[in-house]
Amino acid sequence: MTERHTPRVVPLLDQRSAVLSTPTAAFAAASRIGATGLLSDQRGRPLRDLRISVTDRCNFRCNYCMPKEVFDKDHLYLPHSDLLSFEEITRLTKVFVAHGVQKIRLTGGEPLLRKNIERLIEQLATLRTVEGRALDLTLTTNGSLLARKARSLKAAGLQRVTVSLDGLDDAVFRSMNDVDFPVADVLAGIDAARVAGLGPIKINMVVKRGSNEHEILPMARHFRGSGIVLRFIEYMDVGASNGWRMNEVMPSSEVVQRIHAELPLLQLEPSRPGETAERWGYADASGRHDPQLGEIGVISSVTQAFCGDCNRARLSTEGKLYLCLFASQGYDLRALLRADASQADLESAIGHIWQARSDNYSESRGAQGADSAPAQRRVEMSYIGG
Ligand code: SAM
Ligand code: SF4
Ligand code: SF4
């Protein structure tokens, strides 16, 4: 493809939904930004982590994410032609990596529902960071198809998986996923991932007060000493369809207290900058951390904002770039791709977008003390991925 040197004007803001009532905006690539791996936003945050949603569909109906009443048989999913192809995803990922991304997480919807996802993983696994290292290539899944797919995912080049699991009790789990899916099948998927070498495995448990908080201790007991890191996530006011209320959020501090009362914990140092989870290690009889017993993580997205370190970008199923989980607008990179943009065009567009970023939703929500989600329409988690 030939390089273009004349300034281009490409509409970039999301026009997907009339309800979003996005103003038409234009992006002019008048001043070029090349990829140096050193991009920084308005708050001095680098771009290190890219989450790619590969489908907006899911076979579960977790009520905190895709409640049945909203995501029913009449819900309109994206037509296949609107989805980024694997080649398009890989092309964009190359640009993000040139700007400094080191970690890629495939998500959704349920990413294992995307046909031939292994082919995408094969392509992404060939990419190298600016420093020449392999990418940290991972995937978040509800685990329902993992028993079947763990080996082929590993063979394609996936390094590890995070499995979402909101309880061990079969009745609780079936009611959380709301499609009567048995917990035993997800546990079999986790075992298959372990056997295939897709580790270190992480488990995500969203704690929703009044629904599954009595599963905190059984989950902690089950995964303690297993080599698997269990992470408790505060129920977030993401999207617009889950009817979020503050009184359904169990603060991470309470989760830690509950576990600590039976299984003593001590706080560990973060393993890297920008880490979203606070780490707590299980203690031995002498009160020191016992690595054999392992650790848990708590992700306090509601009670303790971590925007200051947020180095994550999100690419939606149809190629919109979102700078924050709580954004209402995305930048249409697919339009650029399909308008035959060169590598330099893409680098410059993404560079401009990241440099202008100043998002800090959780910090400002904390400052306002909100107890219910604001009325403004926001994108759904299943559309941009977790
Ligand atoms: N379907 C896959 C899964 O469930 O792992 C991947 C997509 S899902 C949107 C990614 C993560 O977001 C899951 O761990 C899920 O529990 C979490 N999640 C979804 N809605 C949430 C909410 N309202 N608050 C906190 N976490 C949420
Ligand atoms: Fe599906 Fe994951 Fe959302 Fe549950 S959290 S509905 S499994 S996308
Ligand atoms: Fe990042 Fe937005 Fe979450 Fe803050 S609220 S940590 S900016 S995704």
Side-chain angles (χ1 to χ4, degrees), residues 166-239:
D166 295 331
L168 282 176
D169 178 86
D170 194 48
V172 173
F173 184 69
R174 284 177 193 256
S175 92
M176 292 297 286
N177 64 56
D178 217 9
V179 292
D180 216 23
F181 195 88
V183 74
D185 290 14
V186 176
L187 294 173
I190 295 168
D191 268 352
R194 193 207 308 255
V195 171
L198 284 170
I201 297 172
K202 290 181 185 159
I203 304 292
N204 279 354
M205 173 178 176
V206 175
V207 181
K208 194 172 170 196
R209 204 191 283 280
S211 300
N212 66 339
E213 76 260 39
H214 42 285
E215 288 296 298
I216 293 171
L217 268 165
M219 287 280 283
R221 289 184 203 116
H222 184 83
F223 289 107
R224 184 170 176 256
S226 68
I228 290 176
V229 178
L230 171 60
R231 303 178 330 156
F232 297 92
I233 303 179
E234 288 178 351
Y235 169 40
M236 283 186 283
D237 47 334
V238 65

Side-chain angles (χ1 to χ4, degrees), residues 17-67:
S17 159
V19 190
L20 282 171
S21 66
T22 310
T24 304
F27 169 80
S31 61
R32 286 279 180 198
I33 298 182
T36 58
L38 299 171
L39 204 54
S40 174
D41 74 4
Q42 292 291 305
R43 296 175 190 272
R45 298 168 296 190
L47 173 54
R48 292 282 176 268
D49 182 332
L50 178 66
R51 298 174 180 214
I52 305 172
S53 175
V54 293
T55 176
D56 58 340
R57 291 164 196 260
C58 187
N59 53 345
F60 283 13
R61 285 292 175 274
C62 309
N63 62 16
Y64 52 75
C65 178
M66 295 180 77

